[in-house]
Amino acid sequence: MKIALGSDHGGFQLKETIKGFLDSLGMEYKDYGTINEDSVDYPDFALDVAKAVAAGEYNKGILVCGTGIGVGITANKVSGIRAAICGDVFSAKASREHNDANILSLGQRVIGPGLALEIVKAWLTTEFAGGRHQRRIDKISDIEKEYS
Ligand code: RB5
């Protein structure tokens, strides 16, 4: 599995922590930045990651900002992206099982690194359940087409 990573300055430290975690698992990833804690605009990084995932260059993406909200809102503007803003393990699992989320959005100022890594682990290892949930995903895609 190939992961696209991105953050703004508010999520930089947690992105680095997640990179260390992915390294320990031997997982392949690309870091789309940002590269330090200098102030930047989160839509720039969220867009790069969302485009790479939507294009199929990466299977999944993980975005981090201060709250997870800005990068999540941005990523969800890209056709084919289902970004889930998660602050707990239950939601992270459900976002895969029910929503087939292809981007996980985290808030560095909201959750600590320990919980964040538990969320990442759960999110990366939970499969989409399909069935009735696929019908609902298809409806989301229809809405996306109607309003794009
Ligand atoms: C940056 O200060 C902050 O606004 C950003 O990281 C994020 O929380 C936005 O949603």
Side-chain angles (χ1 to χ4, degrees), residues 8-11 40 42 64-71 109:
D8 71 353
H9 54 288
V40 290
Y42 60 79
V64 193
C65 65
T67 58
I69 296 171
V71 287
R109 296 172 184 160

